Amino acid sequence: MDTRELQRTIASAATSDGAGVKLRRSLGQSPHTRLDPFLMLDEFSSFDANDYIAGFPAHPHRGFETVTYLLDGHMLHEDHLGNRGDLKSGAVQWMSAGRGIIHSEMPQQERGRMRGFQLWINLPAREKMKPAGYRDIDPAEIPAVALHGGGRAKVIAGTLQVDGQSVAGPIQGLATEPLYLDVELPAGAAFTQPVARGHNAFIYVFEGSLTVGAAATGRALATHSAGVLGPGDLTEVVAGAEGARFLLLAGRPLGEPVVQHGPFVMNTREEIEQAIRDYNSGELTRTPG
Ligand code: FE2
């Protein structure tokens, strides 16, 4: 197998979104920091309610998927279709905005830690105008696999192949074939994972540090940084002196033009203008038929 080397590092930048939620953005800081099909990755983490309490009041999306993974805290999701999702620590919400959704994501706590991620994954052109839908994934539905070398891996999407076993996560069968793992390693532990050749892949370290790549050529990846992996079919990492916790994300690239305007991600300028018109007229969230 060919080990994927660390090709590029994207340090996260402090920013805020929603009504003033403080976060760290790695992918998606600019059009040049996307990694097809991934558009954006935000990490939020704070013990200070002032950093998160304002939440994300009602806002629209069209043309892609948002994946919220809550590590610590309690968040209520509501949308224009009347759906409600109560996200607790360890839960995932996988939302496909399709042709349109208006939703809010609001913290349900006034103290304690709020920590998690929001990932944006593009939809292929043929699926951008499908009806909106989403899935709330309970922590009990996410397999947590103990690793032989110590640590554990949680499988949110795709299939983990480790220590001679194959463990499927709850999200399967999407056009972009995403792999979404949350891996925790003790100091010095190694972890290897096949990643389909031709798929784009990156690692986001949110605790400790990693060496990424083959043993002789591996390069360091620091906390709160995304590391884009080069070509190959095997991911190899070793945790640093303080251990590491990281996301491993991979997906099939769409190879289609991306035109983004805030919460709308389409293929052409005309489709963006249509999305803005549809939002203003209420058509964005009208149920077809
Ligand atoms: Fe949103």
Side-chain angles (χ1 to χ4, degrees):
M1 296 185 92
D2 298 329
T3 298
R4 288 171 173 258
E5 299 295 340
L6 181 59
Q7 194 174 55
R8 177 185 182 197
T9 297
I10 303 168
S12 62
T15 183
S16 72
D17 209 337
V21 177
K22 287 192 181 160
L23 45 83
R24 294 170 182 273
R25 182 161 297 162
S26 48
L27 264 66
Q29 294 168 23
S30 71
H32 309 291
T33 52
R34 297 181 187 129
L35 183 68
D36 186 10
F38 301 107
L39 299 163
M40 191 188 85
L41 179 68
D42 285 346
E43 176 191 10
F44 47 92
S45 177
S46 181
F47 289 93
D48 181 353
N50 293 319
D51 291 344
Y52 59 73
I53 201 71
F56 300 87
H59 60 277
H61 292 291
R62 173 179 277 183
F64 61 102
E65 303 192 287
T66 70
V67 182
T68 305
Y69 178 26
L70 198 61
L71 295 174
D72 302 287
H74 183 186
M75 185 101 84
L76 178 67
H77 171 274
E78 293 181 285
D79 71 15
H80 77 280
L81 298 167
N83 294 309
R84 282 168 66 95
D86 215 11
L87 268 83
K88 301 270 179 65
S89 299
V92 170
Q93 184 197 61
W94 199 289
M95 185 187 79
S96 188
R99 67 186 305 279
I101 195 126
I102 295 178
H103 73 161
S104 64
E105 298 149 293
M106 300 302 290
Q108 301 298 300
Q109 63 192 62
E110 291 176 355
R111 60 182 65 81
R113 190 180 207 184
M114 174 75 82
R115 180 165 76 140
F117 298 95
Q118 188 167 89
L119 175 72
W120 288 12
I121 309 178
N122 208 357
L123 283 168
R126 65 178 185 279
E127 293 185 23
K128 282 184 178 291
M129 294 298 280
K130 71 178 182 180
Y134 67 90
R135 185 163 163 201
D136 287 323
I137 303 163
D138 193 74
E141 293 178 70
I142 299 171
V145 180
L147 304 171
H148 287 179
R152 60 109 192 89
K154 292 188 179 182
V155 193
I156 294 166
T159 301
L160 174 77
Q161 293 168 269
V162 72
D163 302 334
Q165 54 180 332
S166 191
V167 180
I171 297 290
Q172 301 283 335
L174 303 180
T176 49
E177 299 173 43
L179 175 70
Y180 190 154
L181 305 178
D182 165 6
V183 183
E184 189 164 11
L185 298 177
F191 173 78
T192 62
Q193 181 61 206
V195 173
R197 199 178 289 276
H199 286 200
N200 283 331
F202 74 100
I203 287 170
Y204 184 81
V205 183
F206 58 99
E207 290 178 15
S209 63
L210 284 178
T211 300
V212 178
T217 50
R219 288 169 55 198
L221 184 61
T223 321
H224 307 301
S225 290
V228 176
L229 305 181
D233 56 1
L234 185 71
T235 300
E236 287 189 59
V237 300
V238 178
E242 298 159 22
R245 192 169 175 192
F246 63 94
L247 306 180
L248 171 58
L249 289 150
R252 174 188 289 280
L254 296 171
E256 295 174 344
V258 175
V259 183
Q260 177 172 3
H261 178 79
F264 307 130
V265 182
M266 303 300 288
N267 301 111
T268 67
R269 190 70 230 165
E270 290 69 32
E271 289 168 346
I272 289 294
E273 287 164 6
Q274 187 67 51
I276 294 167
R277 278 198 300 275
D278 287 353
Y279 176 52
N280 289 331
S281 70
E283 185 67 18
L284 185 100
T285 51
R286 193 182 64 83
T287 307

